Amino acid sequence: MKKLFAILFIIHIVFMKAQERKLDKYSIKTIIGRIDKRDVNCLSEIKRAKIDFKKQEVLYELIPEGYLDSDYNRHYSHLIGLLKEKGINFSESRDLDPSWILDDETKYPLLSNCYCKASNELLKEKYGQNFIKNITKTADSLYVMSRIEIPFEYPFGVDDYCLVYPKAGDFVEQKIEIQKDFFSSFIFPKNFIQSSERRDFYAKTTFTINRNNTISKISVKIKFKNSKNEEFNNFLINQISEFVKHANWQAAVSDGIKVNCNFNITFYN
């Protein structure tokens, strides 16, 4: 049986290599990388981009398929201004996944946005390979600084996986660790009515973590399972507020810049 599997595996490898050779004979190197020369539309777009680039330079923001963050284009106004100083226009274009076509011999991809990709590569050739990356980062930094006093909403608007409660050590575990730390020292007040199912209260808590690591604008709104516990509303608010004030928070960063951010968490037993 092992021998049979080995033979089948070798046949599969030979078949794949043969397919690669078939594709390789159609492969052609272009400014946007290797493409299939049967993709005549892409080749035509690359040629047209080179001609047009001599008359007008354009940077294209290639928008991928699927979900995008709500503020993915937050830096656009600053980017457009920086490009304009260099005489470069700006435009958006949706970047679709390759479509595939099957001829008598092989299946090969038809690329999208070859015109836009070629235009961007021509910009890199003229201004340096990191030109688009660097000018985009500069534009985003300008955006952050332009609203440095306005809190960002956490975790949106700040750098991906940004930690504000470093004791957790992991972005996903932050709120779990916060809950754990709070209840490690919390003691229910005398006469508080607890149920066997727990979840005796929900305390929706919001506050601002400032860029100097201080806390401000604490708000706690509590809903009790048993209305008789409402007499302890102020007690719980004080306990949660004191915990928030003295926890070891760390300012969030957006594009590497420390910013104010609004943080929310619901405490429940």
Side-chain angles (χ1 to χ4, degrees), residues 109-120:
L110 299 178
L111 302 182
S112 71
N113 263 326
C114 294
Y115 180 93
C116 301
K117 292 171 183 174
S119 181
N120 284 356

Side-chain angles (χ1 to χ4, degrees), residues 143-159:
Y143 164 78
V144 173
M145 293 304 298
S146 72
R147 52 154 296 166
I148 195 68
E149 297 300 331
I150 304 171
F152 289 86
E153 296 301 319
Y154 186 89
F156 309 106
V158 302
D159 292 351

Side-chain angles (χ1 to χ4, degrees):
M1 183 63 73
K2 289 182 179 180
K3 190 173 183 180
L4 175 60
F5 277 125
I7 293 172
L8 291 174
F9 178 75
I10 292 170
I11 293 173
H12 174 73
I13 294 297
V14 171
F15 174 78
M16 292 300 294
K17 291 293 183 182
Q19 289 297 102
E20 288 177 6
R21 282 195 294 273
K22 284 183 179 180
L23 290 174
D24 284 345
K25 74 176 183 179
Y26 293 110
S27 177
I28 183 172
K29 188 176 181 180
T30 71
I31 192 173
I32 66 171
R34 289 197 169 274
I35 69 169
D36 195 297
K37 64 183 178 182
R38 290 167 291 184
D39 190 351
V40 293
N41 183 62
C42 184
L43 289 171
S44 175
E45 287 189 2
I46 293 172
K47 183 177 180 180
R48 182 163 57 89
K50 290 180 177 180
I51 295 171
D52 291 349
F53 188 79
K54 295 176 182 178
K55 301 175 184 177
Q56 179 60 65
E57 299 171 7
V58 182
L59 188 153
Y60 287 93
E61 181 78 7
L62 301 178
I63 310 300
E65 290 186 287
Y67 171 79
L68 291 173
D69 291 335
S70 59
D71 62 348
Y72 76 93
N73 60 353
R74 67 184 191 174
H75 63 288
Y76 276 9
S77 61
H78 295 280
L79 178 59
I80 291 168
L82 292 172
L83 291 170
K84 190 175 181 180
E85 292 174 3
K86 293 180 173 290
I88 303 171
N89 287 343
F90 174 82
S91 183
E92 279 186 308
S93 184
R94 178 66 66 176
D95 191 25
L96 304 176
D97 288 335
S99 56
W100 291 80
I101 189 168
L102 185 66
D103 66 7
D104 294 335
E105 294 184 15
T106 54
K107 181 180 179 183
Y108 62 94
L110 299 178
L111 302 182
S112 71
N113 263 326
C114 294
Y115 180 93
C116 301
K117 292 171 183 174
S119 181
N120 284 356
E121 290 304 317
L122 289 165
L123 284 173
K124 292 178 184 178
E125 282 190 353
K126 181 174 180 178
Y127 297 102
Q129 286 302 306
N130 292 321
F131 170 70
I132 294 176
K133 177 182 176 182
N134 290 342
I135 199 168
T136 300
K137 180 172 176 56
T138 299
D140 199 58
S141 295
L142 289 172
Y143 164 78
V144 173
M145 293 304 298
S146 72
R147 52 154 296 166
I148 195 68
E149 297 300 331
I150 304 171
F152 289 86
E153 296 301 319
Y154 186 89
F156 309 106
V158 302
D159 292 351
D160 291 341
Y161 306 109
C162 173
L163 281 173
V164 292
Y165 195 70
K167 185 177 177 181
D170 181 85
F171 173 80
V172 177
E173 300 294 325
Q174 278 189 118
K175 291 191 176 182
I176 296 173
E177 188 63 36
I178 294 168
Q179 290 268 9
K180 179 182 173 183
D181 287 351
F182 172 71
F183 283 105
S184 67
S185 59
F186 177 78
I187 299 175
F188 280 97
K190 187 178 180 181
N191 298 325
F192 188 96
I193 302 170
Q194 291 182 260
S195 64
S196 58
E197 296 89 7
R198 304 180 69 177
R199 306 293 174 102
D200 298 302
F201 70 87
Y202 288 85
K204 292 184 178 180
T205 307
T206 62
F207 51 93
T208 300
I209 304 171
N210 301 305
R211 62 179 187 273
N212 63 357
N213 300 335
T214 62
I215 304 301
S216 62
K217 299 179 182 178
I218 302 173
S219 172
V220 183
K221 295 181 180 179
I222 303 176
K223 183 177 180 180
F224 295 94
K225 181 186 290 186
N226 189 325
S227 60
K228 292 181 180 180
N229 285 325
E230 289 179 3
E231 64 176 296
F232 303 110
N233 185 68
N234 289 338
F235 175 88
L236 289 174
I237 289 176
N238 290 336
Q239 291 293 306
I240 292 170
S241 297
E242 284 301 306
F243 171 80
V244 169
K245 288 177 184 176
H246 298 101
N248 185 29
W249 304 101
Q250 179 173 292
V253 294
S254 186
D255 200 28
I257 301 169
K258 285 188 175 184
V259 296
N260 304 326
C261 75
N262 293 328
F263 189 84
N264 70 82
I265 181 172
T266 299
F267 292 94
Y268 53 86
N269 69 314

